Amino acid sequence: DTEVTQTPKHLVMGMTNKKSLKCEQHMGHRAMYWYKQKAKKPPELMFVYSYEKLSINESVPSRFSPECPNSSLLNLHLHALQPEDSALYLCASSQDWTGGKNEQFFGPGTRLTVL
Amino acid sequence: EDQVTQSPEALRLQEGESSSLNCSYTVSGLRGLFWYRQDPGKGPEFLFTLYSAGEEKEKERLKATLTKKESFLHITAPKPEDSATYLCAVQEGSNTGKLIFGQGTTLQVKP
Protein backbone atom coordinates (compact mmCIF):
# COMPACT_ATOMS: atom_id res chain seq x y z
CA ASP A 1 0.00 0.00 0.00
CA THR A 2 1.65 3.22 -1.20
CA GLU A 3 -1.19 5.51 -0.25
CA VAL A 4 -1.19 8.74 1.67
CA THR A 5 -4.65 10.00 2.55
CA GLN A 6 -5.66 13.56 3.31
CA THR A 7 -8.84 15.06 4.67
CA PRO A 8 -10.74 17.12 3.86
CA LYS A 9 -10.42 17.34 0.06
CA HIS A 10 -11.72 20.89 0.03
CA LEU A 11 -11.89 23.49 2.80
CA VAL A 12 -13.29 27.01 2.78
CA MET A 13 -12.64 29.12 5.86
CA GLY A 14 -12.85 32.68 7.02
CA MET A 15 -9.91 34.59 8.37
CA THR A 16 -11.10 34.16 11.96
CA ASN A 17 -11.75 30.42 11.77
CA LYS A 18 -9.70 27.59 13.24
CA LYS A 19 -9.49 24.42 11.19
CA SER A 20 -7.22 21.41 10.82
CA LEU A 21 -5.91 19.37 7.91
CA LYS A 22 -5.25 15.69 8.47
CA CYS A 23 -2.86 13.27 6.80
CA GLU A 24 -2.40 9.53 7.33
CA GLN A 25 -0.03 6.88 5.96
CA HIS A 26 0.29 3.18 6.73
CA MET A 27 3.52 2.43 4.90
CA GLY A 28 5.66 2.43 8.02
CA HIS A 29 7.36 5.62 6.89
CA ARG A 30 9.21 7.61 9.56
CA ALA A 31 9.38 10.97 7.79
CA MET A 32 6.34 13.11 6.99
CA TYR A 33 6.08 16.44 5.24
CA TRP A 34 3.73 19.36 4.66
CA TYR A 35 3.95 21.29 1.41
CA LYS A 36 2.08 24.27 0.02
CA GLN A 37 1.49 24.53 -3.72
CA LYS A 38 0.24 27.55 -5.63
CA ALA A 39 -1.10 27.30 -9.17
CA LYS A 40 1.55 26.55 -11.80
CA LYS A 41 4.30 26.40 -9.16
CA PRO A 42 6.16 23.43 -7.68
CA PRO A 43 5.43 22.27 -4.13
CA GLU A 44 6.99 24.47 -1.47
CA LEU A 45 8.21 22.73 1.68
CA MET A 46 6.71 23.91 4.96
CA PHE A 47 7.54 21.35 7.66
CA VAL A 48 9.35 18.03 8.04
CA TYR A 49 8.83 15.52 10.81
CA SER A 50 11.31 12.73 11.39
CA TYR A 51 10.48 10.01 13.90
CA GLU A 52 7.59 12.17 15.15
CA LYS A 53 9.85 15.12 15.90
CA LEU A 54 9.83 18.41 14.01
CA SER A 55 13.13 18.60 12.15
CA ILE A 56 12.52 21.38 9.62
CA ASN A 57 10.35 24.50 9.79
CA GLU A 58 10.88 26.56 6.64
CA SER A 59 10.16 29.86 8.42
CA VAL A 60 6.43 29.26 8.18
CA PRO A 61 4.18 31.86 9.87
CA SER A 62 2.84 30.81 13.27
CA ARG A 63 -0.74 30.78 11.97
CA PHE A 64 0.25 27.32 10.65
CA SER A 65 0.87 24.84 13.46
CA PRO A 66 1.95 21.27 12.66
CA GLU A 67 1.43 18.27 14.90
CA CYS A 68 2.54 14.64 14.63
CA PRO A 69 0.49 12.59 17.14
CA ASN A 70 2.11 9.31 16.06
CA SER A 71 4.17 7.85 13.25
CA SER A 72 1.15 7.44 10.96
CA LEU A 73 -0.60 10.76 11.46
CA LEU A 74 0.23 14.35 10.65
CA ASN A 75 -1.98 17.36 11.29
CA LEU A 76 -1.78 20.97 10.23
CA HIS A 77 -3.70 23.38 12.45
CA LEU A 78 -4.81 26.60 10.82
CA HIS A 79 -5.74 29.83 12.59
CA ALA A 80 -6.24 33.41 11.46
CA LEU A 81 -5.21 32.69 7.88
CA GLN A 82 -4.97 35.28 5.15
CA PRO A 83 -6.49 35.08 1.64
CA GLU A 84 -2.97 34.62 0.22
CA ASP A 85 -2.76 31.33 2.14
CA SER A 86 -5.27 29.85 -0.30
CA ALA A 87 -3.49 26.96 -2.03
CA LEU A 88 -3.27 23.18 -2.40
CA TYR A 89 -1.78 21.72 0.77
CA LEU A 90 0.05 18.47 0.22
CA CYS A 91 1.18 15.88 2.69
CA ALA A 92 3.96 13.43 1.84
CA SER A 93 5.83 10.63 3.55
CA SER A 94 9.08 8.79 2.98
CA GLN A 95 10.75 5.79 4.53
CA ASP A 96 13.65 7.78 5.89
CA TRP A 97 16.31 9.90 4.22
CA THR A 98 19.32 8.85 6.25
CA GLY A 99 19.69 5.62 4.34
CA GLY A 100 19.30 7.40 1.03
CA LYS A 101 15.71 6.26 0.57
CA ASN A 102 13.86 9.53 0.26
CA GLU A 103 11.21 8.71 -2.31
CA GLN A 104 8.41 10.92 -1.08
CA PHE A 105 4.85 9.73 -1.68
CA PHE A 106 2.27 12.46 -1.84
CA GLY A 107 -1.36 12.53 -0.83
CA PRO A 108 -4.09 13.98 -3.06
CA GLY A 109 -3.99 17.31 -1.26
CA THR A 110 -6.47 19.63 0.43
CA ARG A 111 -7.67 22.58 -1.63
CA LEU A 112 -7.88 25.45 0.86
CA THR A 113 -9.73 28.69 0.16
CA VAL A 114 -9.50 31.54 2.68
CA LEU A 115 -12.19 34.18 2.36
CA GLU B 1 23.41 27.76 -4.39
CA ASP B 2 21.59 24.51 -5.09
CA GLN B 3 19.37 24.80 -8.13
CA VAL B 4 17.15 22.70 -10.37
CA THR B 5 16.07 23.90 -13.82
CA GLN B 6 13.60 22.14 -16.07
CA SER B 7 13.12 22.71 -19.79
CA PRO B 8 11.08 23.29 -21.75
CA GLU B 9 8.46 24.98 -19.59
CA ALA B 10 5.71 23.62 -21.85
CA LEU B 11 5.70 21.00 -24.58
CA ARG B 12 3.00 20.10 -27.07
CA LEU B 13 3.27 16.79 -28.92
CA GLN B 14 1.16 14.86 -31.31
CA GLU B 15 0.21 11.37 -30.22
CA GLY B 16 3.09 9.05 -31.10
CA GLU B 17 5.65 11.86 -31.36
CA SER B 18 8.54 10.95 -29.04
CA SER B 19 10.46 13.64 -27.15
CA SER B 20 12.53 14.35 -24.04
CA LEU B 21 12.22 16.60 -21.00
CA ASN B 22 15.33 18.00 -19.37
CA CYS B 23 16.24 18.57 -15.73
CA SER B 24 19.59 20.20 -15.05
CA TYR B 25 20.87 20.57 -11.52
CA THR B 26 23.65 22.09 -9.47
CA VAL B 27 23.79 20.66 -5.97
CA SER B 28 26.53 19.96 -3.48
CA GLY B 29 26.54 16.19 -3.34
CA LEU B 30 23.57 14.57 -5.05
CA ARG B 31 21.82 12.00 -2.86
CA GLY B 32 19.02 11.29 -5.32
CA LEU B 33 17.06 12.69 -8.25
CA PHE B 34 13.32 12.13 -8.43
CA TRP B 35 10.73 12.41 -11.20
CA TYR B 36 7.06 12.99 -10.45
CA ARG B 37 3.95 13.33 -12.59
CA GLN B 38 1.22 15.72 -11.46
CA ASP B 39 -2.28 16.01 -12.86
CA PRO B 40 -4.19 19.29 -12.31
CA GLY B 41 -5.52 19.62 -8.76
CA LYS B 42 -3.91 16.38 -7.59
CA GLY B 43 -0.82 15.43 -5.64
CA PRO B 44 2.41 14.50 -7.43
CA GLU B 45 2.71 10.83 -8.35
CA PHE B 46 6.14 9.28 -7.84
CA LEU B 47 7.71 7.92 -11.03
CA PHE B 48 11.45 7.28 -10.63
CA THR B 49 14.49 7.69 -8.41
CA LEU B 50 17.99 7.92 -9.86
CA TYR B 51 21.05 7.85 -7.63
CA SER B 52 24.17 7.79 -9.78
CA ALA B 53 25.36 8.92 -13.19
CA GLY B 54 24.66 6.34 -15.88
CA GLU B 55 21.62 4.95 -14.12
CA GLU B 56 18.44 4.42 -16.15
CA LYS B 57 14.88 3.52 -15.12
CA GLU B 58 11.89 2.63 -17.32
CA LYS B 59 8.15 2.47 -16.85
CA GLU B 60 5.83 1.89 -19.79
CA ARG B 61 6.48 4.76 -22.26
CA LEU B 62 8.78 6.65 -19.88
CA LYS B 63 12.53 6.29 -19.46
CA ALA B 64 14.63 8.39 -17.08
CA THR B 65 18.38 8.80 -17.37
CA LEU B 66 20.98 10.58 -15.24
CA THR B 67 24.35 12.23 -15.88
CA LYS B 68 26.50 14.26 -13.49
CA LYS B 69 24.75 17.47 -14.50
CA GLU B 70 21.30 16.58 -15.78
CA SER B 71 18.53 14.07 -16.14
CA PHE B 72 16.28 13.34 -19.09
CA LEU B 73 12.78 11.96 -19.11
CA HIS B 74 12.26 10.33 -22.49
CA ILE B 75 8.68 9.78 -23.62
CA THR B 76 8.27 7.24 -26.39
CA ALA B 77 5.13 7.28 -28.56
CA PRO B 78 3.15 9.34 -26.06
CA LYS B 79 -0.61 9.07 -25.67
CA PRO B 80 -3.08 11.79 -24.63
CA GLU B 81 -3.24 10.27 -21.13
CA ASP B 82 0.45 11.17 -20.70
CA SER B 83 -0.57 14.82 -20.60
CA ALA B 84 0.45 16.21 -17.19
CA THR B 85 3.07 18.34 -15.47
CA TYR B 86 6.33 16.49 -14.89
CA LEU B 87 8.36 17.60 -11.88
CA CYS B 88 12.01 16.92 -11.21
CA ALA B 89 13.43 17.15 -7.68
CA VAL B 90 16.83 16.54 -6.13
CA GLN B 91 17.91 15.67 -2.62
CA GLU B 92 21.06 17.55 -1.84
CA GLY B 93 24.02 16.49 0.21
CA SER B 94 23.08 17.76 3.65
CA ASN B 95 21.20 15.18 5.67
CA THR B 96 17.86 16.97 5.95
CA GLY B 97 15.53 15.08 3.62
CA LYS B 98 14.68 18.33 1.88
CA LEU B 99 13.94 18.13 -1.84
CA ILE B 100 14.66 20.95 -4.27
CA PHE B 101 12.04 21.04 -7.02
CA GLY B 102 12.30 22.37 -10.54
CA GLN B 103 9.49 24.50 -11.97
CA GLY B 104 8.09 21.60 -13.97
CA THR B 105 7.35 20.87 -17.62
CA THR B 106 3.72 20.84 -18.70
CA LEU B 107 3.19 18.26 -21.40
CA GLN B 108 0.17 18.22 -23.69
CA VAL B 109 -0.29 15.29 -26.07
CA LYS B 110 -2.88 15.81 -28.76
CA PRO B 111 -4.68 12.88 -30.43
Side-chain angles (χ1 to χ4, degrees):
Chain A
D1 182 9
T2 57
E3 188 175 82
V4 176
T5 59
Q6 290 187 244
T7 55
K9 290 185 179 180
H10 302 276
L11 179 63
V12 179
M13 60 186 292
M15 289 190 284
T16 59
N17 292 157
K18 287 185 179 181
K19 297 287 185 182
S20 297
L21 309 185
K22 297 185 183 299
C23 173
E24 189 168 5
Q25 59 89 10
H26 293 289
M27 295 178 277
H29 288 173
R30 303 316 300 266
M32 296 187 77
Y33 311 77
W34 279 116
Y35 288 86
K36 173 182 177 180
Q37 188 175 27
K38 290 281 204 177
K40 301 189 183 300
K41 295 290 186 182
E44 179 184 342
L45 183 66
M46 300 174 72
F47 303 103
V48 181
Y49 274 83
S50 175
Y51 292 85
E52 300 163 45
K53 292 184 179 179
L54 183 65
S55 62
I56 295 179
N57 176 341
E58 290 286 281
S59 303
V60 178
S62 60
R63 56 186 184 269
F64 295 91
S65 175
E67 178 195 20
C68 190
N70 60 54
S71 60
S72 300
L73 293 173
L74 187 65
N75 298 322
L76 186 63
H77 302 298
L78 314 173
H79 174 55
L81 294 193
Q82 303 297 310
E84 58 264 31
D85 295 322
S86 298
L88 182 67
Y89 287 83
L90 295 163
C91 174
S93 71
S94 67
Q95 180 179 355
D96 181 11
W97 62 74
T98 57
K101 296 289 185 182
N102 197 28
E103 290 94 348
Q104 294 185 19
F105 294 89
F106 286 82
T110 293
R111 172 68 62 189
L112 174 66
T113 302
V114 182
L115 301 176
Chain B
E1 181 182 344
D2 296 336
Q3 195 169 358
V4 178
T5 303
Q6 291 188 245
S7 62
E9 187 175 320
L11 181 62
R12 290 184 179 181
L13 299 174
Q14 288 296 130
E15 183 172 3
E17 180 186 2
S18 300
S19 188
S20 296
L21 314 183
N22 177 265
C23 172
S24 62
Y25 62 91
T26 52
V27 293
S28 52
L30 180 70
R31 292 171 66 91
L33 185 142
F34 309 88
W35 282 99
Y36 290 88
R37 169 197 169 122
Q38 186 172 27
D39 293 305
K42 296 188 177 181
E45 174 191 350
F46 171 77
L47 294 175
F48 303 111
T49 307
L50 301 167
Y51 290 105
S52 57
E55 191 174 0
E56 299 182 352
K57 295 274 182 72
E58 284 189 72
K59 180 181 179 180
E60 296 180 355
R61 295 178 293 282
L62 300 177
K63 179 180 178 179
T65 62
L66 181 66
T67 72
K68 288 186 177 181
K69 294 183 179 180
E70 58 192 349
S71 176
F72 292 94
L73 184 66
H74 307 278
I75 304 177
T76 302
K79 298 182 177 182
E81 53 262 41
D82 295 322
S83 298
T85 295
Y86 291 84
L87 294 165
C88 169
V90 300
Q91 180 180 356
E92 38 78 52
S94 64
N95 197 21
T96 66
K98 181 176 178 178
L99 297 184
I100 302 169
F101 280 88
Q103 294 297 308
T105 293
T106 299
L107 172 66
Q108 183 180 27
V109 181
K110 294 190 172 183

